[in-house]
Every structure is written in structure tokens, then in C-alpha cells.
Amino acid sequence: MFSKRLAALAAGILTLGTAMVSLSIPAHAAEPPNAESLIQGLVSAPDPKAAYAALTQEERDAVDAVTRVASIKITPSAKAQVTTSRSAAAASCWQGTAKGEGKNTLGGTIFTYWVTGKWCASSGKVTSATFVSGSGETSTPGWSYEGRIGQGARVGSDSLLGNVWAQHKFVLTWDWVQTAYPCVSMHGSPYGYYSQGSSCSG
């Protein structure tokens, strides 16, 4: 009888110990979605929009964090490159480039775009402004640069600025709502300095 009670007690202790061990082992947390592999899958899909729609909400959130534009960054003002030195006619010309970047919520660059312009000044007044070039490029799979859709140049009404601008188009393959039409502009002073902005009209 005593041996049976001892065996039952030992079995109970063993069962309790097994339960405690199982409770002490934490369950493995689910791995977060891999945005890079998800994006590659969307890019290679026959129908990217349908593939995106088939993702879970958690997967969409991971993709959106990398591919959605959260902010625009414009490069700070700079000293322009002199293209024509002061001459006997007392005129000088400069050329400079303004650049913008589309940023995601993580701070990564989605796309970059720019405009290059030239302006001339004489006797403290801007006399001309000329659009030279403008283009863009993408840094994130899924986005494409569709080209420049507008540009222009003009001298400000007070002749203190030469304004040059360009507007660009970028498209996200699986989300046409995310089509972007950013503008970037540069504003040259009569003394060779210029500021930069996001104006679509200079």
C-alpha cells in the first residue's frame, strides 16, 4: 500500500514539474512581415493592384511604410555656379540646380527630382531667367518616373529674382492614388545666390 501511494505521489510531482516547464517556455511571437520581399512580389506580379489587394492589413502596413510618400524635402539654398563673369556690359549670369525628394515614413528616399536654371543680372537687377533642364529618378521598387509635365522661367515683377521651375510625375504601380506630381523651383538673386522651393509657377 505504501509503495502505491509513493508511486502516485511521484507521478503527481512529475506531472506538476512538466506543467511548470511548459509554462516557463514562452511562445514564439509571429515574425513581422518582410516589406522587401512583399514589395518584390508585388513588382513581379502579373497584376500588382490585385496582389496588393490580396495582402493582409499587417502586410499592407509594412509595404506602405516603405512605399507611401509621407513628406517632401527640398535641398537648402546654395551659391550658384557662375556661367558668365562680369563684363564691360556689367552683366553676370549664373546657373544652379534645385532638388526635391519624396520621403517615406521611415525617412527613406522614394524618388528624387530636380530643375536646373540660368539667370542673368545687371546693376542689381535680374534681367533674364531660363529653364535649362529637369528630370527625376526613383529609389524604391514599384515607383516609376513618368517624365516632366511642365516647366517655366520668368523674372519677378520687381526684377530681384529669376524664377525657374519644373513639375514631375511619379506613379506607384499598385496604387494609382499615390501618383505624385511634385514641383521644384529655384529663385536666383542679382548677386548669384538662390533659394529653392516647391512652387509650380516659379
Side-chain angles (χ1 to χ4, degrees):
M1 180 68 68
F2 177 75
S3 59
K4 289 183 179 180
R5 290 181 179 178
L6 184 60
L9 179 61
I13 293 175
L14 180 60
T15 301
L16 178 61
T18 302
M20 293 179 64
V21 169
S22 63
L23 288 174
S24 66
I25 299 176
H28 290 289
E31 290 292 330
N34 186 309
E36 183 177 353
S37 62
L38 289 172
I39 292 171
Q40 290 299 331
L42 292 173
V43 170
S44 60
D47 186 345
K49 292 184 70 174
Y52 177 79
L55 297 178
T56 67
Q57 186 59 56
E58 187 178 16
E59 290 172 334
R60 290 186 194 178
D61 290 342
V63 169
D64 292 349
V66 176
T67 61
R68 285 186 178 269
V69 179
S71 62
I72 294 293
K73 176 184 176 182
I74 302 295
T75 303
S77 304
K79 174 70 173 178
Q81 173 187 356
V82 177
T83 60
T84 304
S85 299
R86 187 170 298 279
S87 66
S92 292
C93 294
W94 300 268
Q95 181 169 301
T97 298
K99 184 178 74 171
E101 295 177 321
K103 297 286 189 178
N104 61 30
T105 57
L106 305 177
T109 299
I110 294 176
F111 52 70
T112 305
Y113 52 97
W114 58 88
V115 63
T116 297
K118 178 181 178 180
W119 71 100
C120 298
S122 176
S123 302
K125 298 287 186 179
V126 175
T127 58
S128 66
T130 306
F131 170 83
V132 175
S133 65
S135 191
E137 61 185 15
T138 61
S139 305
T140 300
W143 280 92
S144 62
Y145 177 60
E146 301 297 311
R148 191 175 64 251
I149 60 175
Q151 73 273 331
R154 65 180 179 85
V155 176
S157 58
D158 54 6
S159 297
L160 295 179
L161 289 176
N163 304 300
V164 183
W165 62 276
Q167 185 175 19
H168 306 272
K169 180 180 179 180
F170 295 89
V171 173
L172 179 58
T173 307
W174 53 82
D175 188 355
W176 289 93
V177 176
Q178 274 289 294
T179 298
Y181 304 92
C183 293
V184 62
S185 57
M186 53 175 296
H187 313 278
S189 78
Y191 308 104
Y193 288 91
Y194 67 99
S195 60
Q196 307 185 63
S198 56
S199 171
C200 284
S201 61

